[in-house]
DNA sequence: AAGAGAATTTGACATGGGTCAAGGCGCGAC
DNA sequence: GTCGCGCCTTGACCCATGTCAAATTCTCTT
């Protein structure tokens, strides 16, 4: 069975395909720290890559020799236990910067959920870029701070919320994550499968399914397709997510 | 009932009591980014405070107008749900920098466990300090990165580990947290109560107690006092913490 | 050293969510 | 169109951990 060029798990797109000037993810990303006149610096430091659905592009424990900036699609960030138990520590959408590691090795892995495109920087080139553009470091710090706040919110969810509260929190988070796209503002698109959601919320596939069923029964949501849910009673959902009944 | 000067929950120590040059926490903290000749800058920006055991000094949701650097003692970092359920997101020992907030408000609260001393900086003064000492920003980024990695490790713990695995992980983490002090290297000191441990590990007080009892029965640990535990079989504990049986 | 109060431990029982096992259904291949 | 496979849903039962209650042991005060 041959693997064609377009189906390889990870494709390096041709040099020159990095076009920061027209990049839709720029305004949402740390790249926004680079002024328009310096964008050529950024383009010179990046390689554009395409990752096939399901393919990993960062491996937990591997040497942290590069960084990624997602430009389209959604990735899952994963940590594993030796026996295979899995925790999804987050989902990374367009604009998300990945790979800042405190140590020499990645603390988590990353895998494409749908088709993902990203800019890849070598550790060395990013360092050079930071020296040229000091504002970049400030942006990275701001980005790390907000990721930290999100992680702490997730600690509260995993440590103290019930299954119903977790699922409600998740749907609202997803709604807030993606700026209004097609389908109206109450529609939440879920590119990840139930297994990913379960591993993100510290539950099982079955509990996710049952809990969504209960939210549907209560009229809080409508499940159009498995991957597309509408929030019908946002206020009710916010109360549920906060554990207020 | 009068509150004497020394028993007030939060005491501002006299100006001039900030002595970075001799601060035992400096080498472990972001302050280490400041060279000796610039330490006066740092001293000028800081106020030294003392917090009584149990007293809060950062309130979740309050305006994030200052920052803290713990110089001695241990604090717990807490997040609350409206109905009172509590998640301890971490413990902060000497050297830990607190208060970097992505937003205008603190994302978590902080309370002294034992007697805590700390340096307090106003948001504005820290900003000035960062402008004077660029290396400080790099240190803050490094500090945020390692906190993020720790938070993700805790997500794995809360989402996927059993009670036994959580308690074993916690004891090893505490052992690694505090550099060897009195009592030999296998002794773990636990200034926090069982309730704090439970809220950190997403369990109940009773489960903590029972699990410690089981570790004791198995010969993995010795419980000298409730607040002092010796790890007798470190290899066994590491295996347990990783879920390897 | 004794006493009081708080923290911890221990025990009996309850339950939320996990596990195991069938179905159902949506979507792409042919 | 319909076939087949993977994902999702639903159901029955079980267990790890929570809840409630009491006994025990620390620790601080007097």
């Amino acid at each position: 069975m041959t693997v064609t060029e377009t189906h390889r798990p990870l494709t390096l797109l041709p040099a020159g395909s990095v076009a920061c000037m027209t990049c839709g993810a720029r305004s949402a990303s740390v790249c926004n720290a680079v002024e328009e006149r310096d964008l050529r610096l950024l383009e010179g430091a990046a390689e554009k890559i395409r990752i096939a659905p399901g393919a990993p592009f960062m491996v937990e424990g591997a040497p942290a020799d590069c960084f990624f900036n997602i430009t389209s699609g959604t990735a899952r960030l994963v940590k594993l236990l030796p026996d295979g138990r899995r925790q999804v520590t987050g989902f990374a959408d367009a604009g998300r910067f990945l790979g800042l590691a405190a140590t020499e090795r990645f603390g988590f892995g990353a895998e494409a959920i749908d088709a993902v495109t990203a800019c890849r920087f070598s550790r060395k080139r990013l360092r050079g870029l930071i020296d040229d553009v000091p504002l970049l470091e400030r942006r990275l710090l701001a980005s790390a701070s907000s990721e930290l706040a999100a992680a702490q919110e997730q600690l509260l969810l995993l440590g103290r919320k019930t299954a119903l509260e977790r699922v409600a929190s998740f749907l609202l988070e997803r709604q807030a994550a993606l700026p209004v796209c097609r389908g109206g503002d109450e529609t939440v698109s879920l590119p990840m499968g139930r297994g990913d959601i379960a591993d993100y919320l510290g539950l099982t596939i079955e509990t996710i399914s049952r809990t969504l069923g209960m939210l549907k029964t209560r009229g809080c949501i409508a499940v159009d397709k498995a991957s597309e849910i509408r929030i019908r009673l946002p206020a009710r959902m916010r109360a549920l997510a906060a554990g207020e009944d």
Side-chain angles (χ1 to χ4, degrees), chain A:
Chain A
M1 174 159 108
T2 60
V3 177
T4 67
E5 192 67 20
T6 56
H7 291 110
R8 280 162 52 179
L10 195 150
T11 316
L12 179 58
L13 298 185
S17 64
V18 181
C20 300
M21 199 70 83
T22 59
C23 176
R26 178 157 64 100
S27 64
S29 88
V30 293
C31 300
N32 211 23
V34 179
E35 294 183 46
E36 296 224 349
R37 62 185 172 76
D38 290 332
L39 282 183
R40 295 234 161 264
L41 284 176
L42 196 57
E43 290 177 356
E47 295 173 313
K48 190 136 198 173
I49 60 172
R50 175 186 302 283
I51 305 124
F57 58 99
M58 262 174 58
V59 177
E60 181 181 0
D65 48 11
C66 56
F67 303 86
F68 299 88
N69 210 344
I70 309 275
T71 49
S72 73
T74 303
R76 58 175 171 256
L77 312 181
V78 299
K79 281 181 76 77
L80 295 171
L81 285 170
D83 66 2
R85 277 174 286 171
R86 188 179 79 145
Q87 179 67 31
V88 171
T89 61
F91 296 104
D93 300 302
R96 174 73 172 267
F97 182 84
L98 295 178
L100 265 191
T103 66
E104 292 302 306
R105 304 192 165 259
F106 290 126
F108 53 86
E111 299 159 4
I113 288 174
D114 46 17
V116 163
T117 58
C119 281
R120 181 170 64 186
F121 304 84
S122 75
R123 196 181 183 77
K124 197 166 151 191
R125 294 198 115 171
L126 184 74
R127 174 52 59 203
L129 209 51
I130 288 177
D131 293 337
D132 288 345
V133 186
L135 185 56
L136 201 50
E137 188 149 48
R138 191 150 300 184
R139 281 309 207 84
L140 286 173
L141 181 56
S143 155
S145 295
S146 73
E147 278 180 51
L148 193 54
Q152 286 165 340
E153 199 62 43
Q154 195 70 357
L155 290 179
L156 176 63
L157 179 148
L158 291 175
R160 290 301 179 217
K161 288 188 183 178
T162 65
L164 184 57
E165 291 160 2
R166 293 180 199 204
V167 171
S169 301
F170 170 71
L171 292 176
L172 292 171
E173 178 182 286
R174 275 280 106 194
Q175 186 182 38
L178 290 186
V180 274
C181 24
R182 84 226 150 212
D185 51 358
E186 64 176 16
T187 298
V188 183
S189 126
L190 303 174
M192 68 292 289
R194 296 292 187 264
D196 290 337
I197 300 174
D199 285 345
Y200 180 56
L201 299 180
L203 299 168
T204 59
I205 292 183
E206 294 91 329
T207 298
I208 300 300
S209 190
R210 276 188 256 271
T211 306
L212 287 172
M214 151 167 287
L215 285 170
K216 193 165 73 173
T217 302
R218 292 199 193 177
C220 295
I221 61 171
V223 183
D224 300 330
K225 303 186 303 173
S227 66
E228 204 147 308
I229 283 173
R230 263 175 306 133
I231 294 180
R232 311 200 70 154
L233 302 173
R236 190 90 190 72
M237 287 288 278
R238 281 191 292 273
L240 282 176
E244 284 171 339
D245 28 324

